[in-house]
Amino acid sequence: MNPVAAPASTPVAVLGRRPAHTAWPAGTWAWFVALLSLLLAGNLVTCRYLFWDAFYDLYAGRYIVRHGIPHQNLITVVSYREAWQDQQWLAHVIFYATWDAGGYRLLAGLSAILVTGGYGLLALIMLRRGVPPIRAFAWTAAAYMVAIGSVGIRAQSFAYPCLALVLWVLLEDDRAPRLRPQSWLVIPVLVLWANTHGSVLLGAALVCLYAGYRAVKASARHEYGAVPPFLAFGAAAGASVVCTPYGPGVIQDYARFIENPELARNIVEWGTPSPLDPYSWAFFALILAVVIAVALAWHRGTRPDPLLCGLALVLLAAAFTAVRNQQWFAFGGSLLAADTLARSNGGRVPQLGQAFRKATTGVLATLAVVSVGVLALTSGQQFQSRIPRRAIDVAATLAARNPASRILGDPWSGTPMLWLHPETIGRVGFDARMELYSAPELSAYFDFLSVHGRRWQRVMHGYSLVVASRALDPKLTGALERLPGWRVVYQDRSGLVLQRRAGT
């Protein structure tokens, strides 16, 4: 027998969620395990390298554990003593505590589990709505591809399961004539989200819009008794955003991001998506796939679920504001496509053969086990291999000899230095907290990093040491080597350290 042949077709729930009495189709759990294995393997590979967001999470977590919730920036030279609302404080503390318990390997494992869990929940939503297992596998994998460049160790890892839980609750609640008591559980999810990552604004907006949608529907049906609970539900979702140690003051943190044009101008993930940008190719490919899927279902006479369509459109609108929001649309878009297709297939879906299913699951499960083994053998040096570690150490040593000296580092040096050498806190120019810095300060820093303009080195005023990555900022290090008034005190293949000459 051909192992990939479909010996039979499996009925699929035509409307909405699979009835409770209906058994899962054959092979459901095999495909689900295969999917989790694939996701876990991909995440573990990505998490074997630390980027500046991860170093920020770690040093901020350590700072909070030792000094309490911060309200003032005492970390960097620029914006020193300015207000600091660390909206992601809980993510920082959890990541630092994880590192403290098991080092970088355990930290990588936690981040990988969070991201895998988020996409695993997305697949479960599809399965509960009657999507065939193989299609749930494929659409979830497609959604993951959109986020492949953003799933490293960072506070954002907490947002993936939170978004999936919000979507799950809203779609389940939409099946009930009135607001279900268990739907209120989404509020603590939002509160957790509000203390771990700023994308909670999107999650809270989805709940608020859903509450308004249901209130309008109830009013149109003259079911006025159902309106107040939905309005209260939406109000609670909106209030959850400020349920942090900073209260309403956390809004200032979001405002700094929104009002600073230098972020979108100089940082890829804050810019708008473009079909010409490799970071957005998977995003636009998914949009095309979703449009084709919905159009095909429409041609068959099946209309998309109104709520699911609305959620996907909101997430799509958010995605077009910044590259960093593309992965959130991937959740809604893939779910919309999978759900609409599943309801349009006439109740029967071809399946792959059992042998092929078992072979796929076995291969991917083995890949996941191997990835866990590789992570277990990964050294601390491997996690830090993207940064100029030796140059950072040299700069910190030189700074220790002169307590008045200040250090200007590029993103691959400044933030890692704060984690690796806590004695430099208060003496490093910039770190990854871009919301703290004004537009002119960021403009000067980004001109320095890109060697842009005749006054690109103006940000170096007041600093006696400069450290940068030769591997990742070659244009900058090349210009620094030729800069008058400075001398190279250390260089290797990965980094460069400059010291200001006496009298300059």
Side-chain angles (χ1 to χ4, degrees):
M1 175 182 289
N2 183 355
V4 300
S9 296
T10 303
V12 176
V14 176
L15 294 175
R17 187 182 67 184
R18 184 184 306 281
H21 63 274
T22 303
W24 295 106
T28 295
W29 293 114
W31 281 114
F32 187 66
V33 170
L35 174 66
L36 293 183
S37 299
L38 177 63
L39 296 172
L40 183 61
N43 286 315
L44 289 176
V45 170
T46 304
C47 290
R48 292 175 62 241
Y49 304 91
L50 297 179
F51 298 89
W52 55 77
D53 279 350
F55 288 110
Y56 165 41
D57 293 329
L58 288 170
Y59 90 66
R62 179 180 59 199
Y63 185 90
I64 294 169
V65 168
R66 295 180 180 179
H67 304 286
I69 300 295
H71 293 270
Q72 190 178 53
N73 172 35
L74 302 177
I75 305 295
T76 55
V77 174
V78 180
S79 295
Y80 189 74
R81 293 196 178 279
E82 293 292 326
W84 175 24
Q85 288 86 25
D86 187 12
Q87 178 268 325
Q88 300 176 163
W89 71 273
L90 184 56
H92 300 327
V93 170
I94 293 174
F95 274 163
Y96 173 69
T98 302
W99 173 86
D100 192 45
Y104 291 133
R105 289 187 288 268
L106 186 60
L107 175 64
L110 172 62
S111 180
I113 289 172
L114 287 170
V115 178
T116 299
Y119 285 96
L121 288 171
L122 174 63
L124 283 177
I125 297 172
M126 294 182 187
L127 293 171
R128 283 182 62 81
R129 294 180 68 86
V131 176
I134 182 60
R135 289 186 180 173
F137 177 98
W139 283 108
T140 305
Y144 178 74
M145 290 302 299
V146 176
I148 196 67
S150 303
V151 291
I153 301 173
R154 57 193 308 192
Q156 184 173 287
S157 300
F158 289 90
Y160 294 97
C162 288
L163 175 59
L165 288 171
V166 167
L167 293 174
W168 189 319
V169 169
L170 298 186
L171 292 171
E172 291 290 314
D173 188 82
D174 193 45
R175 305 300 175 196
R178 291 175 178 264
L179 182 67
R180 304 182 312 156
Q182 56 266 46
S183 295
W184 284 93
L185 292 174
V186 80
I187 303 303
V189 172
L190 289 174
V191 172
L192 173 65
W193 196 350
N195 289 274
T196 53
H197 194 254
S199 55
V200 66
L201 292 178
L202 185 56
L206 293 178
V207 178
C208 289
L209 291 172
Y210 169 77
Y213 163 72
R214 288 298 303 272
V216 170
K217 282 184 64 176
S219 297
R221 296 173 180 174
H222 305 291
E223 298 172 354
Y224 300 112
V227 174
F230 281 112
L231 295 181
F233 187 56
S240 67
V241 173
V242 298
C243 290
T244 76
Y246 303 99
V250 76
I251 300 301
Q252 299 177 18
D253 188 61
Y254 299 119
R256 292 191 187 103
F257 276 118
I258 297 172
E259 296 172 357
N260 199 325
E262 294 298 325
L263 295 176
R265 188 176 299 137
N266 294 281
I267 301 178
V268 171
E269 69 173 6
W270 283 103
T272 55
S274 168
L276 302 179
D277 184 358
Y279 287 100
S280 297
W281 287 350
F283 167 65
F284 284 101
L286 182 63
I287 292 177
L288 180 61
V290 172
V291 170
I292 292 174
V294 173
L296 179 61
W298 194 293
H299 179 72
R300 295 173 178 171
T302 300
R303 301 297 181 261
D305 179 274
L307 174 62
L308 191 48
C309 187
L311 294 173
L313 288 175
V314 171
L315 294 170
L316 179 62
F320 274 113
T321 65
V323 170
R324 63 183 291 120
N325 294 326
Q326 292 176 163
Q327 58 264 34
W328 312 136
F329 163 73
F331 274 70
S334 62
L335 186 53
L336 172 64
D339 178 78
T340 310
L341 277 179
R343 292 186 295 108
S344 71
N345 61 6
R348 301 183 68 81
V349 177
Q351 285 200 330
L352 297 176
Q354 183 179 14
F356 179 82
R357 182 172 65 240
K358 288 183 176 181
T360 302
T361 303
V363 169
L364 293 179
T366 301
L367 179 62
V369 171
V370 170
S371 298
V372 172
V374 170
L375 177 65
L377 297 175
T378 301
S379 65
Q381 289 77 11
Q382 175 64 41
F383 283 101
Q384 299 173 13
S385 61
R386 301 286 289 178
I387 65 173
R389 175 60 194 266
R390 181 57 184 160
I392 290 172
D393 293 341
V394 170
T397 300
L398 292 173
R401 297 173 183 171
N402 182 6
S405 62
R406 294 176 174 179
I407 311 161
L408 179 64
D410 65 355
W412 298 98
S413 308
T415 303
M417 180 175 292
L418 292 167
W419 164 244
L420 298 170
H421 297 279
E423 69 276 8
T424 62
I425 285 179
R427 303 172 65 185
V428 173
F430 292 82
D431 65 355
R433 299 170 302 161
M434 295 300 172
E435 74 277 9
L436 284 184
Y437 311 121
S438 67
E441 290 167 342
L442 284 180
S443 177
Y445 186 52
F446 287 129
D447 283 349
F448 164 74
L449 296 177
S450 60
V451 195
H452 174 73
R454 298 178 60 183
R455 300 181 59 244
W456 65 270
Q457 73 273 31
R458 66 187 184 279
V459 76
M460 298 171 65
H461 178 74
Y463 295 93
S464 57
L465 293 168
V466 176
V467 56
S469 169
R470 294 175 66 93
L472 298 168
D473 282 325
K475 183 179 180 181
L476 172 62
T477 53
L480 290 173
E481 290 174 340
R482 302 186 299 270
L483 197 62
W486 294 79
R487 65 187 182 93
V488 176
V489 294
Y490 177 81
Q491 61 179 321
D492 58 20
R493 293 178 60 185
S494 64
L496 174 75
V497 180
L498 267 73
Q499 189 172 43
R500 187 183 294 273
R501 295 183 183 277
T504 61

